[in-house]
């Protein structure tokens, strides 16, 4: 048998003959949003369960992280019953619902009711592995260590603290520059006599590097004080930092955002999640092209999508006796943004617990569980299917779009007639039509080209963007015009603004632009008078002009998009060295710091400063 | 292996005082909160008269002033903590949160502390180790609101209750203390239940329960955070003597 553990971040494996202090069918590592329901459902289906949680309370981000409410995520499953009970408790004790206390009490009670042996303040520190099968784990508490033998280990630690101990490929961050979602420490303030949550992005962190992560957490706590306004008083910070992204691993199957966008359905679906592609970071200029097509060019970032999570995405490739639950699954960075909502994590945990229990019941590996039996059992509890039936829908949680107009829930299909596409391209909300062209066979191209000459600027720009996504650069002049206008206006399709029209134009121009376009873009990047131009000051009175309320953010977006677009064009045109020299000269450390000070001045959210630096670093990477 | 003059396990004010008082040091805490007793217990809501701690320590005074700059002159425990952390960083103190102490090996010439962290096992060396961490709390603070009620009974369900002012004038802190230390969540659940029973009859309510309880022998109210910090500073001097 092998004992696998990490020392100073390096994976070590030693031959061993351990004595096991405890034995169980299922060992759940991490009793957070997913792990709680994994433990409950596995025990409910007859498995013996030991669960270990490093925090002092169960429930994870939903309790210790203080994100006690639902945003996206679909309905269905045992969590609903727990919610009702917890709300009753909270109402009785606090006079209000959605407190962490009610949930901690109900979860603890349920775990106990089903006979789960729970250890809080405890974590997995090593795995026992025999013939590519996980057979147990060593647990560390604040007082001692002990060994547990288990038939199935469920890694529900969010950050894959057990999966990291397997010799399988791991991935962290997106493919372009390794960038990842920012983290947030939830804090509570008292203002005007009322308790309010404060949820702003606190920057980027590496939770696997303990010294720098500790610094990031302490800094996040301190930063919050800088943005207390109007007599608000700081009440407390969450004891669990809200980290949105951790390691992913090579699974038997992988959930990819491109599969979500093309509505690909896996053969065996673990469960259906529901969310927008909730990227959080503003560094869209550094994203992959296809993600930009959807998020920026079509501005569909907050379209609600139904996500069929393949069963193999919770099975580390080639290793038996282990499953994952929660946001550590085999997934790319972009799809992960859509598969981490509280409610979905609870439903996912319940599904994984059922899968583990069936494996124990039939004495087979989790891969060999009968899918029909799994479907039937998950249907009894309602945790697998969810309530969303369409692949895509406009469904703003606030009921309003970005400029405050009401948004009624409606299903969206990218299977559109040419006439319908052209009709929508001329509207303030052309995103679905633009992306429908991206997914189409291209037969609409001859109908779109003449529209580039239209006097209707909206229609011409919509056509140019749509053509661009189909690989046709004939709308380049229209795109150049949009860039010259520095339009800080947005499409209204989504409830929140993500990208300006001129940034969408820059994104597409990067794919067709020539050396001449670099002059146009270099104005944005290098001209010191750029930030003082009209488009970055609050003069535009259009309701679609997002820039008028956040001019620094507007400049940040233009800067990063233009810089990366220039690099892509320079690479294609064979002038990388020239541009690299200019970047080194005109965006050296001191000048970049000055730029960071400008874009971050007075902002509560931290990531755009880091994203500005990341864009400069990434530009050099592209050019080299 | 990183080596320090001093490793403090637990990150309360006393620990920070020790760590800030000289030498190369590290503060270690299993929680993701620097000083969980304060950050997690609402003790910062109790007014702490800074002037009472007219410290002879120039360092401490400058840290307090720095923290008051952050908050426009108000005393605020998290502000003070972040300034302490900043100061600690300036003089070379490392902070390690989310770190469990697996073992401490007695030294031949240096202690070797084995920690479990997000990077797995890490070992650090320290000439001196001070263990300040406590696992089990006996007291929980609740932020409560209502007309200026008084407590008719100070013991409910075997728990001792006491009221103190919070610096937000409409709210007060209800401290609920158990006779013996116990697991955090069980203690909080008991405290909420008992407090709820008392408050319901007085048209008052619990606004929030502190996420973490604390051990009353180290109670934040006993001497105040700054006094605790100073004790740490002076203890370190004694150790060095």
């Amino acid at each position: 048998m092998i004992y696998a553990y990490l020392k100073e971040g390096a994976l070590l494996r030693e031959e061993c003959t351990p004595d096991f202090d405890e034995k169980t069918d299922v060992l759940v590592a991490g009793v957070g949003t997913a792990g709680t329901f994994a433990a409950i459902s596995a025990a409910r289906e007859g498995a013996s369960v030991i669960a270990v949680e490093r925090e002092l309370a169960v429930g994870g981000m939903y309790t210790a992280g203080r994100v006690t409410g639902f945003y996206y995520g679909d309905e269905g499953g045992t969590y609903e019953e727990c919610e009702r009970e917890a709300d009753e408790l909270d109402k009785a004790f606090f006079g209000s619902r959605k407190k962490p206390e009610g949930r901690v009490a109900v979860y603890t009670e349920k775990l106990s009711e089903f006979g789960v042996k729970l250890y809080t303040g405890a974590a997995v520190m090593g795995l026992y592995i025999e013939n590519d099968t996980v057979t147990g784990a060593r647990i560390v508490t604040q007082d001692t260590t002990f060994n547990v033998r288990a038939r199935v280990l469920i890694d529900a630690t969010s950050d894959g603290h057990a999966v990291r101990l397997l010799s399988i490929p791991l991935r962290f961050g997106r493919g372009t520059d390794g960038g990842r979602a920012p983290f947030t420490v939830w804090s509570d303030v008292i203002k005007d006599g009322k308790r309010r949550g404060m949820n702003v992005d606190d920057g980027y962190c590496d939770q696997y590097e303990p010294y720098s992560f500790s610094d990031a957490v302490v800094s996040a706590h301190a930063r919050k004080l800088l943005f207390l306004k109007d007599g608000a008083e700081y009440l407390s910070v969450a004891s669990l930092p809200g980290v949105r992204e951790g390691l992913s691993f090579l699974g038997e199957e992988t959930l990819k955002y491109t599969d979500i966008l093309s509505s690909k359905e896996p053969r065996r679906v673990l469960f259906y999640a529901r969310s927008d592609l909730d990227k959080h970071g503003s560094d869209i200029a550094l994203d992959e092209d296809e993600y930009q097509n959807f998020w920026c060019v079509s501005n569909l970032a907050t379209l609600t999508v139904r996500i069929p999570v393949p069963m193999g995405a919770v099975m580390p490739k080639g290793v038996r006796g282990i499953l994952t639950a929660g946001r550590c699954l085999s997934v790319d960075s972009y799809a992960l943004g859509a598969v981490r909502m509280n409610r979905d994590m609870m439903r996912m945990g319940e599904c994984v617990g059922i899968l583990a229990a069936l494996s124990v019941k039939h004495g087979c590996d989790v891969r060999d569980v009968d899918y029909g039996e799994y479907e039937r059992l998950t249907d009894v509890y309602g945790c697998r299917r969810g309530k969303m039936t369409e692949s895509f829908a406009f469904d703003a949680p606030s009921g309003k779009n970005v400029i405050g107009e009401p948004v009624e829930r409606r299903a969206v299909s990218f299977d559109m007639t040419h006439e319908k596409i052209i009709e929508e391209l001329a509207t303030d909300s052309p995103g679905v039509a633009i992306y429908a062209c991206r997914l189409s066979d291209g037969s609409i191209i001859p109908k779109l080209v003449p529209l580039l000459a239209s006097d209707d600027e909206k229609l011409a720009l919509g056509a140019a963007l749509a053509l661009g996504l189909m690989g046709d650069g004939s709308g380049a002049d229209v795109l150049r015009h949009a860039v010259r206008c520095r339009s800080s206006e947005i499409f209204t399709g989504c409830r929140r603004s993500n990208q300006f029209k001129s940034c969408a134009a820059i994104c597409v121009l990067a794919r067709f632009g020539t050396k001449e376009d670099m002059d146009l873009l270099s104005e944005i990047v290098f001209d010191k008078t750029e930030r003082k131009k009209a488009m970055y000051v609050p003069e535009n009175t259009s309701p679609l002009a997002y820039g008028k309320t956040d001019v620094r953010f507007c400049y940040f977006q233009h800067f990063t998009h233009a810089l990366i677009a220039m690099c892509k064009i320079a690479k294609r045109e064979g002038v990388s060295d020239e541009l690299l020299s200019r970047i080194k000269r005109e965006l050296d450390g001191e000048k970049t710091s000055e730029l960071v000070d400008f874009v971050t001045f007075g902002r509560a959210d931290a990531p755009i400063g880091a994203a500005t630096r990341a864009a400069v670093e990434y530009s050099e990477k592209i050019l080299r | 292996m990183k080596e320090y003059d001093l490793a403090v396990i637990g990150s309360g004010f006393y620990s920070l005082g020790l760590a800030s008082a000289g030498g190369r040091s590290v503060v270690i805490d299993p929680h993701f909160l620097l000083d969980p007793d304060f950050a997690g217990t609402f003790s910062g809501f109790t007014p702490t008269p800074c002037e009472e701690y007219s410290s002879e320590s120039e360092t401490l005074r400058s840290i307090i002033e720095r923290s008051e700059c952050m908050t426009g002159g108000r005393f605020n425990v998290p502000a003070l903590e972040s300034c302490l952390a900043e100061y600690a960083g300036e003089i070379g103190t490392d902070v390690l949160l989310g770190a469990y102490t697996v073992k401490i090996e007695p030294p031949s010439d240096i202690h070797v502390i084995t920690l479990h962290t997000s990077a797995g096992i890490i070992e650090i060396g320290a000439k001196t180790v001070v263990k300040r961490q406590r696992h089990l709390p006996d007291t929980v603070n609740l932020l409560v609101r209502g007309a200026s009620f008084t407590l008719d009974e100070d013991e409910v369900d075997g728990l001792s209750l006491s009221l103190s002012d919070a610096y937000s004038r409409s709210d007060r802190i209800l401290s609920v203390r158990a006779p013996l230390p116990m697991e955090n969540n069980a203690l909080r659940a008991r405290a909420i239940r008992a407090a709820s029973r008392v408050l319901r009859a007085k048209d008052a309510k619990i606004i929030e329960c502190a996420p973490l309880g604390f051990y009353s022998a180290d109670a934040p109210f006993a001497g105040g955070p700054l006094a605790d910090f100073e004790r740490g500073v002076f203890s370190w001097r004694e150790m060095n003597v």
Side-chain angles (χ1 to χ4, degrees):
Chain A
M1 192 176 292
I2 298 290
Y3 178 64
Y5 66 104
L6 286 175
K7 187 168 182 184
E8 311 278 357
L11 178 60
L12 302 177
R13 292 162 68 91
E14 294 170 356
E15 288 284 344
C16 67
T17 314
D19 292 324
F20 286 101
D21 304 287
E22 300 203 44
K23 290 183 183 175
T24 186
D25 291 331
V26 177
L27 172 62
V28 179
V31 195
T33 46
T36 298
F37 289 90
I40 288 171
S41 66
R44 184 181 59 200
E45 300 312 314
S48 58
V49 178
I50 291 176
V52 295
E53 167 55 45
R54 62 163 303 128
E55 288 293 311
L56 295 176
V58 298
M61 281 312 297
Y62 200 47
T63 57
R66 302 190 79 75
V67 185
T68 312
F70 296 128
Y71 179 51
Y72 280 100
D74 213 340
E75 296 164 42
T78 300
Y79 89 86
E80 291 183 339
E81 178 191 329
C82 294
E83 280 301 294
R84 281 192 293 274
E85 290 177 25
D87 278 347
E88 278 174 27
L89 266 183
D90 284 339
K91 204 168 175 200
F93 291 139
F94 296 92
S96 61
R97 295 173 187 170
K98 302 292 176 204
K99 295 278 186 185
E101 286 73 21
R103 269 123 275 265
V104 171
V106 170
Y107 296 164
T108 308
E109 200 172 282
K110 294 271 179 215
L111 290 162
S112 166
E113 183 187 325
F114 289 108
V116 174
K117 189 167 184 183
L118 174 66
Y119 292 92
T120 54
V124 167
M125 67 181 291
L127 289 186
Y128 295 103
I129 303 168
E130 191 166 28
N131 301 324
D132 292 325
T133 302
V134 174
T135 56
R138 181 176 293 174
I139 308 299
V140 60
T141 73
Q142 291 177 36
D143 302 307
T144 185
T145 62
F146 60 94
N147 292 329
V148 177
R149 184 168 195 115
R151 293 167 77 177
V152 181
L153 186 148
I154 297 175
D155 182 349
T157 58
S158 299
D159 288 325
H161 288 303
V163 166
R164 291 168 79 201
L165 306 176
L166 308 173
S167 300
I168 58 170
L170 303 170
R171 181 201 55 72
F172 192 18
R174 65 187 161 199
T176 51
D177 67 332
R180 44 197 93 118
F183 81 112
T184 295
V185 181
W186 185 276
S187 60
D188 289 323
V189 299
I190 295 278
K191 189 181 171 190
D192 301 328
K194 290 184 180 163
R195 169 191 165 270
R196 294 170 190 212
M198 195 158 75
N199 170 19
V200 292
D201 291 348
D202 284 312
Y204 299 95
C205 67
D206 180 350
Q207 64 270 42
Y208 304 105
E209 208 302 310
Y211 286 99
S212 75
F213 186 52
S214 301
D215 286 346
V217 170
V218 172
S219 300
H221 293 175
R223 281 189 75 261
K224 296 184 185 305
L225 294 159
L226 302 176
F227 300 99
L228 283 180
K229 287 179 185 161
D230 308 324
E233 298 285 1
Y234 200 3
L235 177 56
S236 66
V237 290
S239 55
L240 180 64
V243 178
R244 293 188 176 85
E245 184 169 355
L247 286 171
S248 172
F249 57 88
L250 180 64
E252 296 295 347
E253 294 171 276
T254 298
L255 175 65
K256 299 173 182 163
Y257 79 97
T258 47
D259 291 342
I260 298 171
L261 298 183
S262 59
S263 304
K264 186 176 168 189
E265 183 92 0
R267 193 173 59 84
R268 300 200 313 168
V269 177
L270 179 76
F271 83 112
Y272 292 88
R274 170 179 171 270
S275 178
D276 60 347
L277 296 187
D278 196 25
K279 176 185 156 61
H280 255 271
S282 304
D283 52 356
I284 191 78
L286 283 69
D287 279 324
E288 289 174 11
D289 283 357
E290 190 55 41
Y291 198 71
Q292 288 181 339
N293 290 344
F294 186 83
W295 226 87
C296 169
V297 180
S298 306
N299 206 337
L300 292 173
T302 49
L303 190 71
T304 305
V305 292
R306 184 186 197 225
I307 304 140
V309 177
M311 196 171 255
V314 295
M315 299 171 182
K317 192 164 183 66
V319 187
R320 294 176 169 260
I322 183 166
L323 289 166
T324 65
R327 66 169 163 74
C328 179
L329 70 162
S330 184
V331 65
D332 65 41
S333 177
Y334 301 119
L336 177 59
V339 193
R340 56 172 182 75
M341 301 298 159
N342 276 339
R343 224 173 349 200
D344 283 342
M345 295 299 89
M346 294 169 184
R347 295 172 47 236
M348 180 191 195
E350 186 170 6
C351 289
V352 170
I354 288 172
L355 187 59
L358 288 175
S359 145
V360 169
K361 179 182 169 187
H362 297 296
C364 63
D365 184 66
V366 291
R367 286 156 186 74
D368 304 321
V369 166
D370 176 66
Y371 188 65
E373 185 178 7
Y374 171 77
E375 272 188 308
R376 284 191 296 280
L377 201 47
T378 50
D379 281 351
V380 168
Y381 299 107
C383 49
R384 189 177 66 90
R385 289 182 195 275
K387 302 274 168 71
M388 184 176 180
T389 52
E390 318 90 342
S391 294
F392 303 95
F394 275 124
D395 182 18
S398 66
K400 290 178 183 168
N401 72 6
V402 66
I403 57 170
E405 295 171 339
V407 173
E408 284 188 25
R409 180 182 163 79
R410 65 179 171 93
V412 167
S413 169
F414 292 112
D415 186 13
M416 300 167 76
T417 64
H418 291 179
E419 291 69 27
K420 183 70 179 163
I421 286 174
I422 291 167
E423 184 190 323
E424 285 201 11
L425 287 179
T427 67
D428 284 330
S429 182
V432 175
I434 292 171
Y435 204 71
C437 290
R438 166 71 190 156
L439 296 176
S440 75
D441 60 3
S443 61
I444 195 173
I445 290 176
K447 292 180 186 171
L448 293 185
V449 173
L451 304 178
L452 297 169
S454 170
D455 290 336
D456 181 342
E457 284 199 10
K458 279 190 266 187
L459 179 59
L461 179 60
L465 295 173
L467 284 164
L469 295 200
M470 290 185 284
D472 186 309
S474 51
D477 279 342
V478 174
L479 300 174
R480 288 180 187 113
H481 175 70
V483 177
R484 274 187 211 102
C485 291
R486 309 282 201 278
S487 170
S488 64
E489 294 185 356
I490 45 155
F491 298 149
T492 60
C494 291
R495 74 187 153 77
R496 88 180 166 200
S497 83
N498 296 291
Q499 296 297 307
F500 312 109
K501 287 179 183 173
S502 44
C503 291
I506 294 170
C507 253
V508 179
L509 194 58
R511 301 167 198 182
F512 304 102
T514 62
K515 274 192 218 173
E516 287 68 42
D517 292 312
M518 291 177 63
D519 291 335
L520 177 64
L521 297 169
S522 73
E523 259 183 52
I524 299 173
V525 175
F526 297 118
D527 186 344
K528 296 295 178 213
T529 64
E530 174 72 15
R531 296 175 214 166
K532 298 188 172 72
K533 288 182 181 169
M535 54 293 276
Y536 304 116
V537 295
E539 288 180 1
N540 189 336
T541 54
S542 160
L544 301 181
Y546 187 71
K548 71 178 176 174
T549 58
D550 198 344
V551 292
R552 290 168 194 272
F553 181 71
C554 184
Y555 179 68
F556 157 78
Q557 285 296 354
H558 280 82
F559 169 83
T560 51
H561 277 291
L563 177 63
I564 301 304
M566 281 180 79
C567 294
K568 288 177 178 173
I569 295 170
K571 185 92 177 172
R572 201 169 52 243
E573 297 280 312
V575 290
S576 295
D577 289 346
E578 283 172 41
L579 181 59
L580 186 58
S581 303
R582 189 169 184 194
I583 289 172
K584 282 183 171 298
R585 197 173 58 247
E586 297 190 37
L587 291 174
D588 63 11
E590 193 180 321
K591 285 168 185 153
T592 302
S593 294
E594 186 268 325
L595 176 61
V596 168
D597 289 344
F598 172 76
V599 298
T600 57
F601 181 81
R603 296 189 68 86
D605 57 332
I608 72 167
T612 304
R613 290 184 194 283
V616 175
E617 279 173 26
Y618 183 51
S619 69
E620 295 180 9
K621 185 180 165 191
I622 295 172
L623 295 171
R624 286 198 186 99
Chain B
M1 182 171 78
K2 282 195 177 189
E3 290 188 15
Y4 299 93
D5 294 318
L6 171 71
V8 192
I9 299 169
S11 69
F13 267 81
Y14 182 88
S15 304
L16 292 172
L18 279 176
S20 305
R24 179 146 172 73
S25 57
V26 60
V27 170
I28 299 159
D29 204 293
H31 300 94
F32 286 109
L33 295 167
L34 187 65
D35 189 4
D37 259 11
F38 280 88
T41 62
F42 300 167
S43 300
F45 257 51
T46 306
T48 304
C50 298
E51 59 276 16
E52 279 185 18
Y53 302 100
S54 51
S55 166
E56 292 173 10
S57 161
E58 195 59 43
T59 302
L60 184 54
R61 191 159 31 244
S62 80
I63 294 170
I64 293 169
E65 283 168 5
R66 206 190 294 190
S67 80
E68 288 180 345
C69 279
M70 288 177 82
T71 55
R74 287 164 297 158
F75 178 77
N76 182 301
V77 167
L80 182 59
E81 293 198 84
S82 66
C83 290
L84 283 166
E86 191 181 54
Y87 174 72
E90 286 165 15
I91 61 164
T93 296
D94 285 336
V95 174
L96 259 180
L97 302 181
Y100 285 29
T101 307
V102 179
K103 61 179 173 180
I104 303 171
E105 284 173 36
S108 48
D109 60 342
I110 195 166
H111 296 271
V112 175
I113 306 171
T114 304
L115 300 167
H116 182 252
T117 70
S118 58
I121 293 295
I122 64 172
E123 288 174 346
I124 59 173
K127 289 179 188 159
T128 306
V129 180
V130 178
K131 204 168 176 186
R132 292 281 305 171
Q133 179 191 333
R134 297 192 188 277
H135 299 169
L136 295 173
D138 66 2
T139 304
V140 171
N141 279 343
L142 306 168
L143 190 66
V144 297
R145 182 175 300 169
S148 3
F149 64 91
T150 50
L151 288 176
D152 306 325
E153 45 193 340
D154 56 10
E155 192 169 306
V156 177
D157 298 339
L159 304 170
S160 309
L161 273 55
S162 59
L163 267 175
S164 55
D165 288 336
Y167 60 63
S168 162
R169 285 183 192 168
S170 57
D171 301 326
R172 279 180 288 176
I173 299 282
L174 181 61
S175 297
V176 185
R177 182 177 168 185
L180 291 170
M182 60 194 287
E183 192 272 326
N184 184 59
N185 290 303
L187 174 61
R188 289 171 74 244
R190 272 189 72 188
I192 290 170
R193 203 172 284 275
S196 169
R197 215 184 85 192
V198 170
L199 297 180
R200 202 174 296 141
K202 298 176 180 293
D203 199 24
K205 65 176 181 174
I206 312 171
I207 301 296
E208 202 73 40
C209 175
L212 301 172
F214 58 91
Y215 183 60
S216 64
D218 280 336
F221 305 110
L226 305 183
D228 213 13
F229 178 87
E230 286 202 309
R231 276 203 294 272
V233 174
F234 289 108
S235 297
W236 173 250
R237 288 185 188 155
E238 285 156 19
M239 281 178 207
N240 273 344
V241 171

